[in-house]
Amino acid sequence: MAISRVVLFLFFWNAILWTPARSDLVILKLDRKIDLTSQTVRVTSSLKIENAGPSTASKVLLAFPSHQARNIAELRSFYREGKSKVSSDQLRVELVEPQGMPPDLTFYAVQLQKDLRRGEILNLDVLAVFTHSLKPFPEQISQTEVQLVVFQDSAYYLSPYVVKVQSLGVKLPSKNVESFTKFENSKLIDSEIKYGPYENLPVFSYTPIVVHFESSSPFAVAQELLREIEISHWGNVQVTEHYKLVHGGAHNKGGFSRFDYQSRPFASESSSFRHLLARLPPRAHSVYYRDEIGNVSTSHLRGDSRKTELVIEPRYPMFGGWKTSFTIGYGLPLKDFLFQSEGRRLLNISFGCPIEDVVVDDLIVKVVLPEGSKDFYSSVPFSTKQWEEIKYSHLDIAGRPVLVLKKTNVVPEHNEPFLVYYRFNNLSLLREPLMLVSGFFLLFVAYIVFMHVDMSISKSSASYISKLQWDEVQTSLQHVLSVINRCLAVHGKLEASLRDLSRTGDVRSCKAARKAADSVFKELLKELNLALGSLQSSPQAAQIWPKVEELVAKERELQERLILKHSSVVDSYEKKHSGREIENRIAAHEQKLVALRHEVDDLIEILDELC
Ligand SMILES: *[C@@H]1O[C@H](CO)[C@@H](O)[C@H](O)[C@H]1NC(C)=O
Ligand SMILES: *[C@@H]1O[C@H](CO)[C@@H](O)[C@H](O)[C@H]1NC(C)=O
């Protein structure tokens, strides 16, 4: 395999050309570990740094090739005290553009909490998380082939400082390594490739390495994730998450064979995935998972007092390049997430994606505050783009303020709590009930006025109008349902006529029943179209419209089937077929009718609840 073809990017520059930018820092010892066991690449570096120069240092520079820096999702730095103890204080890391540095490099500066004086030594840990850094190669595989990926980096730590001693370990998911760049002091031990130690390397030393290895971890990438967190002071935080997910691994070629898939259900080397695990907060309730078709009942929920886990099972296994869209939703107890802080309300809730091991390209978090909230702001432990929106729902007058936070390149490290502060007057809480009461009062007054004088009703309140519109929708919906119910009653009569026929053998009266039914169906159809027309013209009916359409279509199908069955039975009687023959002729109809009746009943039940 021509591995050189995938080496897209090589660095060639002479380290001698670049003198350290007046830096007095020297890295005495450096250990770097690259973890390639999942789709996100995690690089941890432990640096022992000495200030060998005369001036004090307040920051440490980190350098990355720019093509790599583009994939950085998170960069963190900590002081390390003693052998392995990591202090919890995260240091500030920011993007900088120092002068006189080589091109095509991106620099970050770790701001030290205390200046490093001449001769002092400092231990620093740096964690860098990269997304989209493992490239499938080959780019297409068949369903039963294993997925191979390529990773590129440098055997030397790219540094603006001289490094006295350094070593690198590359941890792979398994021992199955296709190839790796062999180099002085390099070896593969089990599933880890070791490079080094290397001594006394000048600044910006770089030597490319390429590792080509087997990776069967699911490359679940949410190209878009919209999380909506809606606070209701009546006791609930409602979270709704809309996912557009793709398997970002090697594309599936030659299509999907369920037979192959099912005959090797445990083929561990397959990189497809069947389910995803979402870790929801404890006490999550009313959890649902649905896709474009509807609720997916194959998901399961398990949990105890400390956690809730939702196993999400898409309708088909996910292969490389395949996409799926779905929504999960859950309610959370308000008191677990909303607190008081110096006269303000404080929401403290997790920011990132609750599904394990998912990379999110574009994450939008919308925090919907109760109507009447003021002076809101957020505190997020990483940089986000922010703006404000307004959301209207049923009884809102001014709408609910929405704080929108957007972040790209989100990894599990971002699953951290963030805070939203806002002010809220408790009286606002009574606004909606008061509005309802006054709405009805208005209606009452309007009614009285209307009865006495022909005067138009005051229509100043938006919510009052929307309430009226919703009433209209309900009335039209009731009308539709009543027509459907009358259709179903006619179905009953047709069935009864068939039962009479089998008892009396009176074909004529059975045909008469059919004729009567036909004309009633015709009348009902006219009425139904009228009711549907008025329902469809209301914008508020948009949400329920698909269900109504489905119900109408199913009833139509049911009606047609029933008529087919009816004709078929009457025909058999005229031809004097035996009972057994008749049963055989209508068996398929019968089965379909039972299924359709169930579907119609379910839909009626759902829509009935809205009336
Ligand atoms: C889907 O599930 C949710 C939660 O269990 C439920 O409230 C909703 O009515 C269901 N919808 C349908 C169409 O079954
Ligand atoms: C937010 O919640 C986390 C735990 O979920 C807690 O560690 C943190 O201290 C809280 N922050 C504030 C400001 O209350």
Side-chain angles (χ1 to χ4, degrees), residues 271-289:
S271 67
S272 68
F273 56 88
R274 254 222 130 119
H275 25 67
L276 297 162
L277 179 67
R279 294 185 193 283
L280 308 180
R283 285 185 289 284
H285 60 85
S286 324
V287 181
Y288 66 86
Y289 158 46

Side-chain angles (χ1 to χ4, degrees), residues 116-293:
L116 194 64
R117 289 197 300 271
R118 174 180 194 156
E120 282 182 336
I121 289 178
L122 164 75
N123 288 304
L124 209 61
D125 275 350
V126 177
L127 166 70
V129 184
F130 300 89
T131 55
H132 301 292
S133 297
L134 299 181
K135 300 284 175 228
F137 189 81
E139 287 171 1
Q140 294 198 339
I141 55 174
S142 73
Q143 178 179 329
T144 50
E145 274 177 303
V146 298
Q147 170 174 271
L148 298 171
V149 296
V150 164
F151 175 72
Q152 304 174 55
D153 203 325
S154 165
Y156 300 150
Y157 177 74
L158 185 65
S159 160
Y161 313 114
V162 169
V163 186
K164 294 284 190 204
V165 185
Q166 63 171 297
S167 61
L168 166 64
V170 182
K171 193 164 181 332
L172 304 172
S174 75
K175 292 180 196 172
N176 304 338
V177 180
E178 199 81 350
S179 70
F180 66 98
T181 307
K182 311 260 187 329
F183 192 64
E184 60 174 297
N185 289 355
S186 64
K187 52 184 180 289
L188 173 67
I189 303 172
D190 280 340
S191 57
E192 184 165 357
I193 305 171
K194 294 198 186 275
Y195 287 96
Y198 305 115
E199 293 182 4
N200 284 323
L201 289 175
V203 300
F204 297 120
S205 296
Y206 190 97
T207 179
I209 54 168
V210 177
V211 189
H212 191 198
F213 61 100
E214 190 179 308
S215 174
S216 55
S217 63
F219 281 30
V221 178
Q223 292 172 315
E224 279 173 46
L225 166 57
L226 169 62
R227 301 187 71 214
E228 190 175 271
I229 301 168
E230 181 155 0
I231 301 173
S232 157
H233 283 165
W234 297 101
N236 192 42
V237 177
Q238 181 63 35
V239 184
T240 313
E241 301 176 345
H242 304 278
Y243 288 85
K244 280 206 174 107
L245 201 84
V246 64
H247 186 311
H251 281 215
N252 177 255
K253 85 176 168 205
F256 165 61
S257 146
R258 193 164 280 278
F259 176 75
D260 274 355
Y261 189 79
Q262 280 171 348
S263 57
R264 313 172 54 186
F266 303 109
S268 58
E269 65 272 34
S270 165
S271 67
S272 68
F273 56 88
R274 254 222 130 119
H275 25 67
L276 297 162
L277 179 67
R279 294 185 193 283
L280 308 180
R283 285 185 289 284
H285 60 85
S286 324
V287 181
Y288 66 86
Y289 158 46
R290 68 179 144 78
D291 60 10
E292 299 98 329
I293 306 175

Side-chain angles (χ1 to χ4, degrees), residues 237-420:
V237 177
Q238 181 63 35
V239 184
T240 313
E241 301 176 345
H242 304 278
Y243 288 85
K244 280 206 174 107
L245 201 84
V246 64
H247 186 311
H251 281 215
N252 177 255
K253 85 176 168 205
F256 165 61
S257 146
R258 193 164 280 278
F259 176 75
D260 274 355
Y261 189 79
Q262 280 171 348
S263 57
R264 313 172 54 186
F266 303 109
S268 58
E269 65 272 34
S270 165
S271 67
S272 68
F273 56 88
R274 254 222 130 119
H275 25 67
L276 297 162
L277 179 67
R279 294 185 193 283
L280 308 180
R283 285 185 289 284
H285 60 85
S286 324
V287 181
Y288 66 86
Y289 158 46
R290 68 179 144 78
D291 60 10
E292 299 98 329
I293 306 175
N295 276 355
V296 186
S297 51
T298 47
S299 56
H300 349 261
L301 193 67
R302 56 188 186 220
D304 53 34
S305 60
R306 279 166 296 120
K307 60 175 192 302
T308 311
E309 289 180 343
L310 173 68
V311 181
I312 296 170
E313 193 168 314
R315 290 183 197 263
Y316 42 82
M318 292 284 292
F319 285 93
W322 289 20
K323 295 183 179 188
T324 177
S325 300
F326 59 87
T327 300
I328 65 178
Y330 45 96
L332 299 169
L334 186 71
K335 64 177 173 27
D336 291 2
F337 298 90
L338 194 72
F339 309 93
Q340 297 277 352
S341 158
E342 294 161 5
R344 290 174 191 277
R345 310 285 167 118
L346 162 59
L347 173 78
N348 181 354
I349 197 165
S350 168
F351 182 81
C353 167
I355 303 180
E356 256 191 345
D357 250 334
V358 169
V359 165
V360 186
D361 289 345
D362 278 320
L363 170 66
I364 291 183
V365 179
K366 292 191 175 183
V367 181
V368 184
L369 300 170
E371 189 175 32
S373 302
K374 289 197 297 275
D375 304 338
F376 46 92
Y377 60 91
S378 70
S379 159
V380 191
F382 23 79
S383 76
T384 54
K385 220 171 113 182
Q386 302 196 2
W387 65 93
E388 287 167 24
E389 287 176 359
I390 296 200
K391 178 178 174 174
Y392 293 94
S393 55
H394 256 39
L395 293 171
D396 297 341
I397 301 177
R400 302 175 191 215
V402 182
L403 182 64
V404 188
L405 305 136
K406 177 169 181 177
K407 175 156 182 59
T408 54
N409 233 356
V410 178
V411 289
E413 272 75 5
H414 296 121
N415 222 335
E416 282 195 353
F418 76 107
L419 309 172
V420 177

